[in-house]
């Protein structure tokens, strides 16, 4: 039967938090091959062809679950409840002050000590059609988990097609809370992390970015990118300005900033960034409904992590393009709201689209 020829294969990936977790292998032969685990919603491997048709892995990660359990800079993971930073791990909501973990110097990062990247997600559906394959993942976060108010029920759909990775996020809460979900894959289009990402060309369709303080919290200013190293409105090699003499580059140790496309979320998914690597011929577009995108140039990778296939991840061997609402929004009333109330549905979508040219 034609349909089952490339059926999704589920294998045991070990145990986490006292639960067994699985690895799902999804393939469109010679087009896109991916592996995903329900631990942290982690994309562990994503292969696409180069200009000679050679399938190679374009994301960083570990060979085994143990790597993700030990310590990981969020390789491939689903991030929640709040992607990016909240200043001093504190915010006020409806007259109450909430205290979150300060797991990034004095700030809160990526949902806390045990964020959505470190929990076991329930696989509520496996989609296995000819050109649409993937998983529907569900996690119910208890009221007060990691300090956040409200029981939050999150459903994330990961759908793969022969040339894309499409993510749909939905969440509902039992009490007013804040939510900002994202995906934290580290990309390196050279394939199998064979070199740093400085030779990748990047376009970001945003005319504004958020300057930060030296702890990477936005100052509140929306600054034009024009005439700064942050101008990616036309394709530019990442290496061109990554070490520019610039206070903001200094704070980030390179690019680790949020670009703002619109000052409000949109109902439309639209292209916001394009990444390409000339030598391999691989390109990737990022489309999203979110108002902003964090571009992190892998500055904190320092050669202490050995990832898949014995590859050492040196500085800037991977980059993240994390679609999201603006960092620290719970403390910055002028930013688009990240508040979710009981009875409302948080709903957003992002897709990464791959192509190859000569
Ligand atoms: C942040 C970086 C951080 C990394 C986690 C990114 O989203 O912007 O500052 O180091 O995640 O490892």
């Amino acid at each position: 039967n034609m349909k089952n020829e490339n059926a999704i294969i589920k294998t045991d990936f070990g145990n986490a938090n006292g639960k067994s977790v699985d690895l799902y292998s999804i393939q469109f032969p010679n087009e896109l091959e991916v592996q995903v685990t329900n631990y942290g919603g982690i994309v562990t491997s994503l292969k696409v062809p180069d200009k000679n048709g050679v399938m190679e892995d374009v994301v960083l990660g570990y060979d085994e679950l143990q790597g993700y359990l030990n310590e990981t800079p969020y390789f491939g993971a689903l991030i929640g409840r709040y992607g990016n930073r909240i200043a001093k791990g504190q915010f006020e909501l409806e007259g109450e002050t909430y205290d979150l973990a300060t797991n990034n110097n004095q700030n809160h990062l990526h949902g806390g000590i045990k964020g959505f990247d470190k929990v076991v997600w329930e696989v509520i559906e496996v989609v296995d059609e000819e050109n649409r394959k993937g998983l529907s993942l569900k996690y119910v976060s208890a009221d007060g988990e990691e300090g956040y108010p409200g029981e939050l029920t999150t459903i994330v759909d990961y759908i793969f097609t022969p040339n894309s990775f499409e993510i749909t996020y939905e969440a509902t809460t039992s009490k007013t809370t804040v939510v900002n979900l994202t995906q934290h894959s580290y990309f390196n289009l050279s394939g199998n992390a064979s070199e740093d990402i400085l030779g990748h060309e990047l376009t970001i369709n945003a005319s504004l970015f958020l300057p930060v303080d030296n702890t990477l919290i936005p100052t509140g200013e929306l600054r034009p990118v024009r005439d700064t190293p942050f101008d990616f409105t036309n394709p530019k090699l990442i290496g061109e300005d990554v070490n520019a003499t610039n206070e903001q580059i200094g704070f980030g140790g390179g690019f680790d900033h949020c670009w703002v496309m619109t000052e409000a979320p949109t109902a439309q998914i639209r292209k916001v960034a394009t990444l390409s690597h000339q030598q391999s011929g691989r390109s990737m577009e990022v489309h999203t409904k979110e108002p902003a995108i964090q571009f992190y140039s892998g500055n904190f990778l320092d050669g202490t992590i050995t990832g898949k296939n014995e590859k050492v991840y040196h500085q800037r061997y991977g980059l993240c393009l994390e679609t999201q609402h603006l960092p620290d929004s719970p403390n910055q009333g002028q930013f688009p709201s990240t508040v979710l109330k009981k009875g409302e549905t948080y709903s957003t979508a992002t897709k990464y689209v791959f192509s190859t040219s000569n």
Side-chain angles (χ1 to χ4, degrees), residues 26-87:
I26 295 170
Q27 55 161 335
F28 300 98
N30 306 316
E31 294 178 294
L32 187 141
E33 292 172 16
V34 56
Q35 292 189 310
V36 180
T37 172
N38 60 319
Y39 173 73
I42 296 173
V43 175
T44 62
S45 162
L46 198 163
K47 294 181 179 169
V48 290
D50 74 357
K51 61 187 175 194
N52 300 314
V54 181
M55 299 290 285
E56 282 172 319
D57 203 344
V58 296
V59 296
L60 307 191
Y62 300 99
D63 287 317
E64 312 271 346
L65 179 64
Q66 197 56 44
Y68 297 100
L69 298 178
N70 291 347
E71 217 197 336
T72 161
Y74 305 92
F75 287 148
L78 258 180
I79 306 292
R81 295 187 187 189
Y82 201 97
N84 216 321
R85 291 174 177 80
I86 297 178

Side-chain angles (χ1 to χ4, degrees), residues 5 16 20-21 27 31 42 73 94 108 121 128 139 149 156 159 176 179 185 188 231 282 291 295-297 314 356:
E5 211 169 296
S20 64
V21 297
Q27 55 161 335
E31 294 178 294
I42 296 173
E94 297 184 339
H108 178 82
W121 291 70
D128 200 352
Y139 179 65
V156 178
I159 294 292
T176 305
V179 192
S185 286
N188 184 328
D231 191 347
R282 296 188 180 98
F295 163 40
Y296 168 54
S297 55
H314 297 287
T356 306

Side-chain angles (χ1 to χ4, degrees), residues 73-74 84-85 109-110 184 186 216 256 294 296 300 322:
Y74 305 92
N84 216 321
R85 291 174 177 80
L109 177 68
H110 295 334
H184 210 286
Y186 284 66
L216 302 182
D256 195 356
Q294 181 86 4
Y296 168 54
F300 296 115
E322 309 154 47

Side-chain angles (χ1 to χ4, degrees), residues 82-100:
Y82 201 97
N84 216 321
R85 291 174 177 80
I86 297 178
K88 306 206 164 83
Q90 260 195 11
F91 63 95
E92 249 180 64
L93 195 58
E94 297 184 339
E96 296 262 343
T97 300
Y98 293 94
D99 273 298
L100 311 172

Side-chain angles (χ1 to χ4, degrees), residues 82 177-179 263-265 325 329-330 332-340:
Y82 201 97
T177 192
V178 293
V179 192
E263 292 176 58
H325 270 52
S329 296
Q332 310 227 18
Q334 76 283 20
F335 290 170
S337 174
T338 52
V339 173
L340 180 70

Side-chain angles (χ1 to χ4, degrees), residues 10 14 16-17 19-24 36-43 65 76-82 110-111 114-126 135-141 145 152-158 167-172 179-183 346:
K10 173 176 149 183
N17 309 336
K19 293 177 188 157
S20 64
V21 297
D22 294 307
L23 189 68
Y24 292 80
V36 180
T37 172
N38 60 319
Y39 173 73
I42 296 173
V43 175
L65 179 64
L78 258 180
I79 306 292
R81 295 187 187 189
Y82 201 97
H110 295 334
K114 191 174 173 187
F116 288 7
D117 59 297
K118 295 183 185 68
V119 301
V120 177
W121 291 70
E122 185 191 348
V123 177
I124 56 171
E125 198 190 338
V126 176
L135 309 173
S136 188
L137 300 165
K138 180 178 176 183
Y139 179 65
V140 180
S141 173
E145 192 173 297
L152 189 76
T153 301
T154 303
I155 295 180
V156 178
D157 292 340
Y158 275 179
I167 311 160
T168 317
Y169 303 85
E170 276 200 2
T172 53
V179 192
N180 190 25
L181 306 177
T182 192
Q183 223 288 337
Y346 168 94

